[in-house]
Amino acid sequence: MANVTVIGAQWGDEGKGKIVDWLASRADAVVRFQGGHNAGHTLVVDGTTYKISLVPSGIVTGTLSLIGNGVVLDPWALKSEIEKLEGQGVTITADNFAVADNCPLILPLHRDLDGLRETAAGSGKIGTTGRGIGPAYEDKVGRRAIRVCDLAHLDEIEPQLDRLCAHHDALRAGFDEPPIDREALIAELREIAPFVLQFAQPVWKRLKKVRKAGARVLFEGAQGVLLDVDHGTYPFVTSSNTVSGTAASGSGLGPNATGFVLGITKAYTTRVGSGPFPTELEDEIGQGLGERGHEFGVVTGRKRRVGWFDAVLVRQTCSIAGVTGIALTKIDVLDGMDTVKICTGYRLDGRIFDYLPSHAASQARCEPIYEEMEGWSESTAGARSWADLPANAIKYISRIQELIECPVALVSTSPEREDTILVRDPFED
């Protein structure tokens, strides 16, 4: 059976939640493999809205949901989210949910440092969510992280705290903050430990068993390729690798397990926070698209920046992440527009670029080159077949396929799970 890896092909917020939920109903296991609770999914199932930022989306359908070792885990955020989902009638037990016991933890000190840095940065702000994701990843690669498995050995944690506090106390002193209260931190960890440990296990081993049984595995990415710490618009990126290859290292399965790579992309472009955005629309058209698309962050509530579809960027992300096919979302937001535009290249210092340069200053000065197409007055909302789409909407989708050099596998026409046009089934590839 084919496995499927779902990633964002833009700057995140592409509508992965609905697509993952749609695929999860046909999968046997869903795995989060990177990021933290800094990215949210909105699922609408049978009229009920679920907002999820850490637990894999498959949990709503009762699918086995696993948090892989590539995720940085805030145990208090996990508890809060599970309690909220249970309040909505979702059943979450050790039978259908597990956390990798080698996941690094996000601690209160990470949130503190995140906020202190952003406040001090002034005009140099990255635009983080302030949830401690970056500092937690720093401690992971600095080999001073507290991990899920350490919660079962808190009586032996002093040497690890020595390393952790030596680093963070020096940083905190630079911000005129007091040292870490070690006793208070240990007390908080002792309190949360039983809740987390009931779900802790070697997720790689669970996945090996699932895969050996011939089950379908869905790998669920967070954010988007343009926020990848290596391949994104650095330094305005997240602190993990968001490309499809991370599904292997972040779950404990080999690279041949990732299967069909489905890149989610909006029919236009958005991004949250600071950083370059060549096709950004700071006019009435951009405001209208943002309002119709309800472009506000699930986690932070921040207003998203909006622009025309950028085929240069999506072609680049599809290549970098090995995307097999894209899922095009929110085509209905473009309904009623007289004309629609697609960015096909950039002008920079008298040259034409067919890719986004790596340097941040160059990225900020890229001027988009547009191809204009006739819009459509008919509604695409709720369409479930090509026959339901206006002719000009089909032309627009076809042109996107040509420009990004990657086929469209799915078209999403509303937040509802079933309002999806299936062109190519990722699980049957």
Side-chain angles (χ1 to χ4, degrees):
M1 291 290 184
N3 295 335
V4 177
T5 300
V6 174
I7 58 169
Q10 294 163 310
W11 276 291
D13 309 309
E14 302 96 348
K16 291 187 292 296
K18 177 256 179 83
I19 302 298
V20 168
D21 172 59
W22 185 82
L23 290 167
S25 64
R26 302 163 62 239
D28 300 295
V30 183
V31 189
R32 270 288 306 272
F33 58 86
Q34 49 76 219
H37 63 306
N38 55 337
H41 292 326
T42 299
L43 313 181
V44 180
V45 183
D46 297 330
T48 301
T49 299
Y50 303 90
K51 293 186 181 295
I52 298 174
S53 58
L54 188 54
V55 178
S57 302
I59 201 70
V60 174
T61 57
T63 307
L64 174 62
S65 297
L66 308 171
I67 293 180
N69 57 276
V71 173
V72 283
L73 184 85
D74 184 323
W76 298 277
L78 177 68
K79 186 173 188 290
S80 175
E81 188 167 299
I82 286 177
E83 289 173 347
K84 183 177 179 181
L85 288 168
E86 288 177 334
Q88 291 184 280
V90 178
T91 300
I92 302 175
T93 68
D95 290 329
N96 67 359
F97 176 67
V99 176
D101 57 4
N102 52 345
C103 268
L105 296 179
I106 299 174
L107 305 172
L109 57 91
H110 294 129
R111 296 194 298 271
D112 292 345
L113 181 58
D114 211 351
L116 289 167
R117 282 174 170 169
E118 280 290 273
T119 301
S123 60
K125 282 184 172 64
I126 298 295
T128 78
T129 59
R131 299 195 168 202
I133 312 298
Y137 273 117
E138 290 175 40
D139 282 347
K140 172 185 176 178
V141 298
R143 295 168 293 183
R144 54 182 170 265
I146 306 296
R147 303 190 299 171
V148 169
C149 55
D150 295 318
L151 294 175
H153 301 274
L154 292 175
D155 290 336
E156 307 158 42
I157 206 168
E158 289 297 334
Q160 289 169 264
L161 283 181
D162 288 341
R163 290 197 300 274
L164 188 70
C165 292
H167 178 77
H168 281 271
D169 285 347
L171 291 173
R172 291 168 70 91
F175 290 106
D176 293 322
E177 291 290 317
I180 294 165
D181 186 335
R182 293 169 63 135
E183 295 306 316
L185 175 59
I186 291 175
E188 289 182 275
L189 291 173
R190 287 193 190 283
E191 184 179 7
I192 197 68
F195 180 85
V196 179
L197 289 173
Q198 67 178 313
F199 302 114
Q201 61 180 265
V203 157
W204 68 267
K205 199 168 186 295
R206 183 86 173 261
L207 276 171
K208 181 182 178 182
K209 182 179 180 181
V210 166
R211 195 177 179 213
K212 193 173 182 180
R216 292 171 163 177
V217 180
L218 176 63
F219 297 94
E220 176 185 350
Q223 290 94 27
V225 175
L226 292 169
L227 292 176
D228 185 279
V229 71
D230 287 311
H231 301 288
T233 49
Y234 192 91
F236 303 100
V237 293
T238 193
S239 297
S240 62
N241 286 110
T242 60
V243 293
S244 58
T246 313
S249 60
S251 66
L253 283 180
N256 62 342
T258 52
F260 189 107
V261 179
L262 185 66
I264 316 301
T265 178
K266 280 176 182 164
Y268 49 102
T269 311
T270 64
R271 84 170 294 176
V272 171
S274 307
F277 187 170
T279 66
E280 183 171 12
L281 293 168
E282 299 180 271
D283 56 14
E284 291 181 0
I285 295 176
Q287 183 176 342
L289 287 173
E291 290 172 354
R292 289 198 298 277
H294 306 291
E295 296 298 349
F296 295 91
V298 174
V299 170
T300 63
R302 288 184 294 180
K303 185 178 179 180
R304 296 177 185 138
R305 300 155 64 192
V306 181
W308 292 117
F309 186 86
D310 193 329
V312 182
L313 288 181
V314 177
R315 182 172 62 242
Q316 186 167 323
T317 60
C318 286
S319 177
I320 289 167
V323 173
T324 314
I326 68 164
L328 193 69
T329 68
K330 292 198 166 185
I331 187 74
D332 53 303
V333 175
L334 299 179
D335 291 353
M337 302 195 73
D338 294 330
T339 59
V340 289
K341 296 181 181 181
I342 302 175
C343 175
T344 59
Y346 306 128
R347 285 190 183 89
L348 176 64
D349 299 332
R351 292 176 57 196
I352 303 297
F353 282 76
D354 62 357
Y355 66 96
L356 188 69
S358 295
H359 196 271
S362 298
Q363 293 173 352
R365 291 188 293 110
C366 283
E367 298 178 10
I369 299 169
Y370 286 119
E371 181 176 304
E372 194 168 299
M373 300 182 69
E374 188 178 346
W376 53 92
S377 57
E378 309 95 320
S379 174
T380 62
R384 298 185 180 182
S385 71
W386 286 117
D388 296 332
L389 292 177
N392 283 348
I394 294 174
K395 289 179 182 177
Y396 180 72
I397 295 169
S398 297
R399 185 57 179 147
I400 284 175
Q401 288 187 117
E402 293 172 4
L403 289 169
I404 67 172
E405 301 171 2
C406 186
V408 172
L410 302 167
V411 179
S412 170
T413 58
S414 94
E416 290 289 343
R417 182 194 294 169
E418 300 306 320
D419 290 342
T420 303
I421 300 171
L422 179 63
V423 182
R424 181 180 179 187
D425 189 341
F427 274 125
E428 297 301 328
D429 188 69

